[in-house]
Amino acid sequence: MKLTQADFKQRRDRLAAQLGNNSIAVIATRAEMYRNRDADYKYRADSSFYYLTGFAEPEAVAVIETFAAGEPYRYSLFCRERNRAMEIWNGYRAGLEGAVELYAADEAYTISELDEKIITKLLNKQRFYYRIGQQSEFDARVSQWMQKADAQQRRGGTAPAEMIQLDRLVDEMRLKKSAQEIELMQIASNISAEAHTRAMQTVKSNMMEYALEAELNYIFGKNGCVPSYNSIVGGGANGCILHYVENNQPLKDGDLVLIDAACEYEFYASDITRTFPVNGKFSPEQKALYNIVLDAQLAAIDATRIGNHYKYPHEVAVKILTQGLVDLGLLKGNVDELIKNEAFMQFFMHGTGHWLGMDVHDVGAYKVADEWRAYEVGMVVTVEPGLYIAPDDEKVDAKWRGIGIRIEDDIVVTENGPLVLTKNVVKTVEEIESLMAKK
């Protein structure tokens, strides 16, 4: 399943309607990045640029102009021209003809013409929307454009009177997903769930963390995907490091392994975390902590509903985690007081979720008018509580130390309640042990 040019045009239509009459919006894609010397990182277009254009090549800028009421807007694409010699080395380019025929631009120019052509487009526009602060070099170019437009006043032209942050509009558009976007995210989630299942079935004692990561990457790659983010494969105490990505230690018998890894399909991300025993059997301490996290996660998922505010699932999870820690003797005192004093942060120091979409930490404001925003249909969020008992935490009994647990799923807010995209990978103690016993 892929988005069509009709889908991208609908997005441009929606954006143009929000710009107002006699306005212009400019959005550039991301620059290529060198890995070392002559080698680049594999290119991925900027998410918001791609969201509006479907154009995945580097060195491209999209321009949307509106005019008087009732007049159609104009979509221009500045991109690389066809170049047979460069295409032999680096691959096919759409070129100017392709920009019009394949990507539905009303007009196309070479990227080298941008600084010249944009001045005429800016003149006599009331509002100028662009992504302020995204790229310092592009900010400098915009400043030069405005100076040149201002200089045209003596010839009867005027520069835009208002400069407005384009991200405010595009981020809000991206926050609520369409049915097609959710379908793409479901595909990504299914592939990622398959990868986690494979990891549970192939892990063994003394296996290297990076070897287990390779099992995940195999599933991603065979389905035409790449990781959505740097994979975390943390065995034992490494699972207590929230963003552990070295993945270079052996997995030990008796330890848990925490895997936070998922893939991106057609520019849409998934995000899954599972924690399971290397030897296929939870110890009593591991099981006790794991079930607290699972109870918190299930309750937080259930709380991800229309009308509840963004932070509410976190509050639900924190209460269950804190009560569980008291029950096990890891915290002492009144649960409400412990929450008020944030005593739980000794063991749970991050939020319970984030927006998910084209970026794994997707765009969209978490607050509106300084209040946590309410969930609406089409929002997609992760739910990922955890507990992390540091290996050197002498405030707790030694039997708990070095245990790190996180459980994460991807949730769509629907009229019928939370939809779990990542349900295809097991997560109860009994399900995990049963699956791992079959390997």
Side-chain angles (χ1 to χ4, degrees), residues 355-370:
W355 302 136
L356 182 71
M358 296 184 77
D359 298 324
V360 71
H361 283 203
D362 209 30
V363 295
Y366 290 95
K367 285 188 171 184
V368 176
D370 207 33

Side-chain angles (χ1 to χ4, degrees), residues 20 24 43 52 69 106 118 148 153-154 156 213 240 255 265 277 282 292 296 298 327 342 364 372 421:
I24 183 170
Y43 185 72
L52 293 170
D106 297 314
I118 198 65
K148 290 180 180 179
Q153 292 186 43
R154 288 169 295 182
E213 180 184 7
C240 297
D255 279 350
Y265 178 83
F282 287 86
I292 293 170
L298 293 173
D327 292 344
E342 297 186 330
W372 294 114
L421 295 176

Side-chain angles (χ1 to χ4, degrees), residues 329-330 389 393-401:
L330 289 162
I389 318 300
D393 189 346
E394 297 185 357
K395 295 180 181 179
V396 303
D397 193 293
K399 67 181 181 179
W400 303 110
R401 297 176 199 163

Side-chain angles (χ1 to χ4, degrees), residues 159-178:
E162 300 177 63
M163 186 176 290
I164 303 170
Q165 175 61 274
L166 179 61
D167 281 338
R168 291 179 183 173
L169 299 182
V170 179
D171 289 0
E172 284 298 300
M173 289 174 61
R174 285 176 54 187
L175 177 58
K176 283 171 268 190
K177 276 64 178 180
S178 67

Side-chain angles (χ1 to χ4, degrees), residues 212-231:
L212 193 55
E213 180 184 7
E215 299 291 341
L216 300 161
N217 289 337
Y218 168 72
I219 299 299
F220 299 160
K222 83 165 189 173
N223 286 284
C225 299
V226 296
S228 305
Y229 50 95
N230 291 327
S231 298

